[in-house]
Every structure is written in structure tokens, then in C-alpha cells.
């Protein structure tokens, strides 16, 4: 089997060597050997790096992502946690769509002052209620631990 050195992995993945070394320290990837001072990786590391990037884009912490990889490098993707994360992304999409619509309304509103526009005032009221609900739900979520939270 032919291994990739850290420079090749960096070039193929777009991830800086310093980040690859950090990922190795964090247990996200593993070098299989060294060629002099240069770390050597299995070509499978490229898939692992794509999964790490996808996990980060989905909002998982590096500790949560590391928890999805078994010591033998096999992926253990907890389906229930993935569903929870997807549900959270759906909520964000709805909130961002509402924010987008509010901004467009404000930009196009013909009222002399936005505060005189009943639609704007209603949208601000709804946004305020959502903000308060989000703050109160964060407090209750902090007390619940997910299987990947590892006590942090």
C-alpha cells in the first residue's frame, strides 16, 4: 500500500499541515508511519477529512466528531444525534428565511418610518418571542448531555 505524506494530504484535501497535525493530536486522524520527519497517512485519511469537514459544517465540535470515530478508524455515526442536528439545521433555515423576509420587507416598505409599519412591528414582535424562547431553551439544553458531549 502506498502512503501519502502530510504535504500530499494537505494538497489533496486543502487542509493545512498544521491543521492535520492538530487533528492527529485530537485523535481525529492517525499517521500510519513516518518517512524521516514527515508523517505518512493511508489514502483513507482523505475520506476521514471529508467527514470531519462535513461534521464541522453541520455544527459538530471536534470533540463530537472524534467521538464518531472508533479507535480502529471505523465511523460510528450515531443516527439519533444526526437527526437532532438535522432538526436544528431545519430550525435555523426557517429562522433565516424569516429574517431574510423581514429584511426584504424593511427594504421595500413604503411607510415613512419602519416603526409606523404594522407588518414590520409584527415581525419584530415575532422575532423577539423567538429570541426569548431560544435563550430559555439553551439553558435547559445545557443540563441535558448527549452521548457525544463527553462531559463538556
Amino acid at each position: 500500500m502506498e502512503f501519502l505524506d502530510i504535504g500530499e494530504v494537505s494538497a489533496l484535501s486543502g487542509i493545512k499541515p498544521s491543521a492535520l497535525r492538530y487533528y492527529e493530536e485530537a485523535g481525529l486522524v492517525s499517521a500510519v508511519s513516518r518517512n524521516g520527519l514527515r508523517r505518512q497517512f493511508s489514502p483513507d485519511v482523505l475520506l476521514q477529512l471529508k467527514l470531519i469537514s462535513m461534521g464541522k459544517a453541520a455544527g459538530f465540535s471536534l470533540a463530537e466528531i472524534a467521538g464518531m470515530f472508533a479507535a480502529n478508524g471505523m465511523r460510528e455515526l450515531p443516527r439519533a444525534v444526526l437527526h437532532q442536528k438535522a432538526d436544528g439545521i431545519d430550525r435555523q433555515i426557517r429562522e433565516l428565511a424569516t429574517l431574510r423576509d423581514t429584511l426584504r420587507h424593511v427594504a421595500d416598505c413604503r411607510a415613512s418610518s419602519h416603526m409606523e409599519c404594522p407588518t414590520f412591528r409584527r415581525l419584530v414582535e415575532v422575532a423577539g418571542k423567538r429570541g426569548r424562547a431560544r435563550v430559555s431553551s439553551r439553558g435547559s439544553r445545557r443540563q441535558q448531555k448527549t452521548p457525544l458531549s463527553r462531559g463538556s
Side-chain angles (χ1 to χ4, degrees), residues 26-94:
L28 293 162
V29 297
S30 299
V32 292
S33 68
R34 287 187 179 264
N35 183 6
L37 294 177
R38 296 181 71 86
R39 290 169 170 85
Q40 300 286 297
F41 294 90
S42 164
D44 292 342
V45 76
L46 298 173
L47 173 61
Q48 192 122 351
L49 291 170
K50 289 174 185 174
L51 289 171
I52 292 166
S53 293
M54 186 172 33
K56 286 174 54 180
F60 286 102
S61 70
L62 291 181
E64 289 172 321
I65 295 167
M68 293 181 195
F69 297 139
N72 64 1
M74 296 299 294
R75 271 64 76 197
E76 295 179 353
L77 304 176
R79 295 173 193 270
V81 174
L82 297 175
H83 277 291
Q84 289 172 354
K85 189 61 79 170
D87 291 344
I89 291 170
D90 283 341
R91 280 189 297 279
Q92 278 185 297
I93 289 169
R94 286 190 302 273

Side-chain angles (χ1 to χ4, degrees), residues 82-136:
L82 297 175
H83 277 291
Q84 289 172 354
K85 189 61 79 170
D87 291 344
I89 291 170
D90 283 341
R91 280 189 297 279
Q92 278 185 297
I93 289 169
R94 286 190 302 273
E95 290 171 3
L96 288 171
T98 300
L99 179 59
R100 176 203 60 214
D101 294 346
T102 300
L103 292 173
R104 286 200 174 129
H105 175 80
V106 169
D108 297 336
C109 183
R110 298 197 189 284
S112 60
S113 164
H114 297 305
M115 295 312 289
E116 293 175 12
C117 173
T119 302
F120 175 72
R121 292 183 72 92
R122 182 180 51 79
L123 291 169
V124 169
E125 187 65 32
V126 168
K129 287 178 184 175
R130 280 196 183 125
R132 285 190 302 274
R134 201 175 316 123
V135 168
S136 67

